[in-house]
Amino acid sequence: MSDTPFGFGLPPEEPEDGDKGKKGGQGGQGGPADPFGFGPGGLPGGFPGGAENPFAAMFGSMNPNDLGAAFRQLGQMLSYEGGPVNWDMAKDIARQTVAQGTADGVKDVSVGVAEKSAVQEAVRLADLWLDGATSLPSGANAAVAWSRAEWVEATLPVWKELVDPVAERVGAAMGSVLPEEMQAMAGPLLGMMRSMGGAMFGQQIGQAVGTLAGEVVGSTDIGLPLGPAGRAALLPLNIEAFGKDLGVPSDEVRLYLALREAAHARLFAHVPWLRSHLFGAVEGYARGIKVDTSKLEDVVGQLDPTNPEQLQEALQGGMFQPQDTPEQKAALARLETALALVEGWVDAVVHEAAKPRLTSADAMRETMRRRRASGGPAEQTFATLIGLELRPRRLRDASRLWASLTDARGVDGRDGLWEHPDMLPTASDLDDPDGFVHREQLDFSEIDKMLGEAAERRDDEGDGDK
């Protein structure tokens, strides 16, 4: 580790010849003109233009408008006193990113009445078709059509739940970059570091979520429920862009995506343990991530508040490293299997509902499979934010297994496996689907019933003793 943490130079020792020595060093590093130890070598690479005054280097060449924006940004960074992520900053940056439009020049627009009506009708029809393909009842109490900005607003609470555990680890790592002998006297500096860490994550998350808002077509694109419970949500503007080059009528594209959104809604609404199972797997994986403190030290040492892109590039530079431990490998396998089972079930159920009714069913299925198997729009987002790729790598294997279960046990028998997490196929079962399909399954509903009755008896006995 560097002897000058964060790239700040240490002030020189007091000169032996008193005032004379101080005056003589006035123009050098650490003298009165440079009281905090900043100088051409104080930060790696020096200041832009070789300036010795850091504030002149940061702000001297900026016009008044840019200067004001830079000071506001710096103030927002250093005044933050919340959790590990500055979510107010993240929200502002996400909204700004959305307002700039996508790379192809398409700007966000408010959803019109006709588009809202088309989405509601598509979800209504999708739910009707799904009734014959799954025993799980409808999970969508409402169908909504969102703009990109509305998607950002609606999904940020879930991003917070997903990202905060990793950000906590980074915050702790930022404090550990200081040598132990300095940590006891560095309370204010640690507070500043926490604020900067919250800003760094806020910058990165805002940019990532804002970019993602230009690509997603609903609230379940990444296999996790990002929107409020009970709402099936579609983004008409993004659906139009998604279907542009598919050669499929726009109403069929919208209906197929509505089927997927409604199928996800049924699963998460009527399998009460599933959401916590998936989010717990993400958090378990996050706990095993270690932070490269040497890279973190370099990032902090070269931090330029006037260059927000630098913050984004820093977090994209491979700061997160999964630990190569059995626990970490098990967490990753559990998450990948769970994602594959969710996406495989949705794929099988939607195809069963769409195949007899949509001429484009096969083409749409293959398009969505490739999109999800390659990581979809969320891959880079998660890889950037928490060092994790949410790829359902075994989507096709899981879909085949669910289809085989339908043939062997019927719709009720297939969907009954969601009653308990221990009834679901494992990663090894995806290797041998026939073996799983024809294996005797424990009836966990009976076990749960017996445990419930035993608990009631204990309660009754306890009341009788009073």
Side-chain angles (χ1 to χ4, degrees), residues 54-142:
F55 298 103
M58 289 181 184
F59 307 122
S61 62
M62 303 175 69
N63 66 48
N65 290 335
D66 290 341
L67 182 61
F71 271 117
R72 284 194 299 273
Q73 184 182 60
L74 182 60
Q76 191 177 16
M77 286 176 62
L78 298 182
S79 64
Y80 177 69
E81 297 180 350
V85 177
N86 188 331
W87 286 102
D88 290 336
M89 176 180 284
K91 180 179 176 180
D92 290 345
I93 292 175
R95 293 294 299 263
Q96 292 168 15
T97 303
V98 165
Q100 291 170 2
T102 51
D104 57 4
V106 178
K107 300 281 189 178
D108 191 26
V109 294
S110 300
V111 180
V113 175
E115 291 171 316
K116 291 180 180 179
S117 178
V119 166
Q120 291 169 352
E121 177 60 23
V123 173
R124 185 197 67 78
L125 186 56
D127 253 340
L128 184 64
W129 290 1
L130 288 172
D131 284 339
T134 174
S135 61
L136 299 180
S138 174
N141 302 322

Side-chain angles (χ1 to χ4, degrees), residues 71-245:
F71 271 117
R72 284 194 299 273
Q73 184 182 60
L74 182 60
Q76 191 177 16
M77 286 176 62
L78 298 182
S79 64
Y80 177 69
E81 297 180 350
V85 177
N86 188 331
W87 286 102
D88 290 336
M89 176 180 284
K91 180 179 176 180
D92 290 345
I93 292 175
R95 293 294 299 263
Q96 292 168 15
T97 303
V98 165
Q100 291 170 2
T102 51
D104 57 4
V106 178
K107 300 281 189 178
D108 191 26
V109 294
S110 300
V111 180
V113 175
E115 291 171 316
K116 291 180 180 179
S117 178
V119 166
Q120 291 169 352
E121 177 60 23
V123 173
R124 185 197 67 78
L125 186 56
D127 253 340
L128 184 64
W129 290 1
L130 288 172
D131 284 339
T134 174
S135 61
L136 299 180
S138 174
N141 302 322
V144 293
W146 285 338
S147 66
R148 294 166 178 170
E150 288 171 327
W151 183 90
V152 168
E153 295 278 355
T155 62
L156 270 179
V158 179
W159 289 114
K160 184 177 188 299
E161 187 176 350
L162 289 168
V163 175
D164 270 353
V166 180
E168 289 276 8
R169 294 186 64 81
V170 176
M174 293 183 81
S176 70
V177 171
L178 279 175
E180 290 184 10
E181 62 272 17
M182 292 183 62
Q183 290 189 20
M185 352 179 245
L189 180 58
L190 289 176
M192 184 182 75
M193 296 304 299
R194 282 191 292 269
S195 296
M196 291 171 65
M200 288 170 66
F201 260 99
Q203 290 261 9
Q204 180 63 12
I205 292 167
Q207 181 69 33
V209 171
T211 302
L212 192 58
E215 301 172 355
V216 294
V217 294
S219 68
T220 56
D221 284 39
I222 67 172
L224 298 172
L226 294 179
R231 291 189 184 180
L234 295 176
L235 283 72
L237 182 62
N238 292 356
I239 290 175
E240 180 182 353
F242 172 79
K244 185 177 180 181
D245 299 320

Side-chain angles (χ1 to χ4, degrees), residues 95-459:
R95 293 294 299 263
Q96 292 168 15
T97 303
V98 165
Q100 291 170 2
T102 51
D104 57 4
V106 178
K107 300 281 189 178
D108 191 26
V109 294
S110 300
V111 180
V113 175
E115 291 171 316
K116 291 180 180 179
S117 178
V119 166
Q120 291 169 352
E121 177 60 23
V123 173
R124 185 197 67 78
L125 186 56
D127 253 340
L128 184 64
W129 290 1
L130 288 172
D131 284 339
T134 174
S135 61
L136 299 180
S138 174
N141 302 322
V144 293
W146 285 338
S147 66
R148 294 166 178 170
E150 288 171 327
W151 183 90
V152 168
E153 295 278 355
T155 62
L156 270 179
V158 179
W159 289 114
K160 184 177 188 299
E161 187 176 350
L162 289 168
V163 175
D164 270 353
V166 180
E168 289 276 8
R169 294 186 64 81
V170 176
M174 293 183 81
S176 70
V177 171
L178 279 175
E180 290 184 10
E181 62 272 17
M182 292 183 62
Q183 290 189 20
M185 352 179 245
L189 180 58
L190 289 176
M192 184 182 75
M193 296 304 299
R194 282 191 292 269
S195 296
M196 291 171 65
M200 288 170 66
F201 260 99
Q203 290 261 9
Q204 180 63 12
I205 292 167
Q207 181 69 33
V209 171
T211 302
L212 192 58
E215 301 172 355
V216 294
V217 294
S219 68
T220 56
D221 284 39
I222 67 172
L224 298 172
L226 294 179
R231 291 189 184 180
L234 295 176
L235 283 72
L237 182 62
N238 292 356
I239 290 175
E240 180 182 353
F242 172 79
K244 185 177 180 181
D245 299 320
L246 295 181
V248 177
S250 59
D251 57 341
E252 287 198 20
V253 173
R254 180 171 54 247
L255 185 50
Y256 191 88
L257 297 176
L259 281 165
R260 289 184 54 83
E261 183 77 6
H264 277 102
R266 290 184 181 225
L267 197 57
F268 286 110
H270 299 292
V271 182
W273 54 264
L274 180 58
R275 186 183 190 277
S276 60
H277 180 76
L278 285 168
F279 281 63
V282 172
E283 185 174 353
Y285 182 84
R287 282 196 300 268
I289 291 175
K290 61 182 178 181
V291 179
D292 187 341
T293 54
S294 64
K295 286 190 177 181
L296 184 59
E297 185 177 350
D298 290 341
V299 169
V300 175
Q302 301 181 53
L303 196 61
D304 177 2
T306 70
N307 184 4
E309 290 78 10
Q310 183 190 47
L311 296 173
Q312 179 180 345
E313 292 169 1
L315 284 178
Q316 288 175 337
M319 190 183 297
F320 306 118
Q321 301 171 348
Q323 293 180 351
D324 189 18
T325 63
E327 294 79 11
Q328 181 72 347
K329 291 177 180 178
L332 180 59
R334 185 167 62 251
L335 178 59
E336 288 185 340
T337 300
L339 287 170
L341 291 174
V342 168
E343 290 299 291
W345 184 88
V346 169
D347 177 82
V349 168
V350 167
H351 188 69
E352 186 176 343
K355 178 68 172 174
R357 300 176 175 94
L358 295 179
T359 57
S360 61
D362 289 333
M364 289 296 301
R365 183 188 205 186
E366 187 59 28
T367 298
M368 294 306 299
R369 279 183 167 187
R370 290 179 179 177
R371 192 173 193 247
R372 287 298 288 124
S374 64
E379 178 186 350
Q380 187 56 49
T381 300
F382 266 83
T384 297
L385 296 181
I386 61 175
L388 173 65
E389 295 177 352
L390 281 181
R391 291 187 186 184
R393 300 175 189 273
R394 308 198 63 181
L395 186 154
R396 293 176 188 269
D397 294 335
S399 183
R400 281 194 293 268
L401 187 147
W402 288 119
S404 297
L405 282 168
T406 308
D407 294 338
R409 304 184 188 180
V411 168
D412 291 343
R414 177 201 66 198
D415 294 346
L417 294 179
W418 290 105
E419 290 179 2
H420 196 283
D422 290 342
M423 296 176 68
L424 287 179
T426 64
S428 59
D429 292 325
L430 295 180
D431 296 328
D432 181 23
D434 289 338
F436 179 83
V437 168
H438 299 293
R439 185 188 311 157
E440 284 294 326
Q441 298 290 315
L442 292 173
D443 188 347
F444 281 88
S445 63
E446 288 299 319
I447 295 176
D448 288 342
K449 181 180 179 183
M450 292 169 59
L451 291 174
E453 291 173 349
E456 289 177 2
R457 285 196 298 271
R458 285 196 302 270
D459 292 341

